[in-house]
Amino acid sequence: MPAKILLLLLALATLSACASLPSAPASSTTANTAAQRAALADHTAQTAKQRLAAAATQRAGAERQFCPNWRQALDRARGNAIGCAQMPASEQATCWQAVSQWAREEGHYFHALAPLFRGSGYAPPAAQAARFFDLAQGWAITCQNGQAACTAAPVRRPMDSHKKAVNQFCQP
């Protein structure tokens, strides 16, 4: 029995010595990992600040260009509609198809502004402009069926409503 106790004490002494030895490499590794993580966090924060600044600059530019771009697109829409209406009847369908495609592209442009304008005063008029061109695309398709269909299209009233809202926003 005393031999067992002696063996037990010896085993405990050995284990306690192992447990109390400092492990310098693990401590050094932990410090290095912490330093790397801190550097990465700092880099990520700097990158986020740069992206926010770039987004703010992009948003400011888009806001400055919104109304001039709207006016230009609206003028072109009028010119396209007048041009198609004045064409010989045999060529109007092709013209209206081109106008429909163009209106679709303009709608995409104004829809693309939505994430950039989110939370700003430009968000509602950008959405109105996008909706106007979405409707204009459908209207142009309707106009392929002739002048009477074009004039009687029920979509004209909502188009006018969206146009009026954007025009009011963009008044000089």
Side-chain angles (χ1 to χ4, degrees), residues 12-24:
L12 285 174
T14 304
L15 287 176
S16 70
C18 288
S20 65
L21 288 176
S23 58

Side-chain angles (χ1 to χ4, degrees), residues 19-98:
S20 65
L21 288 176
S23 58
S27 172
S28 174
T29 302
T30 303
N32 286 338
T33 301
Q36 288 173 350
R37 287 183 181 162
L40 180 61
D42 185 51
H43 176 72
T44 302
Q46 291 300 323
T47 301
K49 286 179 186 177
Q50 290 170 350
R51 286 183 180 164
L52 283 173
T57 300
Q58 185 180 13
R59 181 178 182 166
E63 287 175 351
R64 279 191 304 278
Q65 291 301 311
F66 176 78
C67 288
N69 287 348
W70 162 254
R71 286 185 200 102
Q72 182 181 11
L74 193 57
D75 288 345
R76 186 162 178 204
R78 283 186 193 112
N80 287 343
I82 292 168
C84 286
Q86 292 176 346
M87 287 188 152
S90 62
E91 297 175 18
Q92 285 187 8
T94 302
C95 183
W96 286 115
Q97 286 174 351

Side-chain angles (χ1 to χ4, degrees), residues 103-165:
R104 185 172 143 257
E105 291 168 9
E106 286 298 313
H108 287 317
Y109 166 76
F110 287 105
H111 279 292
L113 294 175
L116 190 60
F117 288 159
R118 189 171 291 125
S120 82
Y122 281 82
Q128 296 273 7
R131 187 66 183 132
F132 171 84
F133 283 106
D134 291 345
L135 294 171
Q137 178 188 5
W139 177 69
I141 291 169
T142 300
C143 291
Q144 291 178 36
N145 296 323
Q147 195 75 22
C150 197
T151 304
V155 73
R156 289 184 60 197
R157 177 170 277 146
M159 281 175 57
D160 286 342
S161 174
H162 293 298
K163 179 177 68 174
K164 181 180 178 183

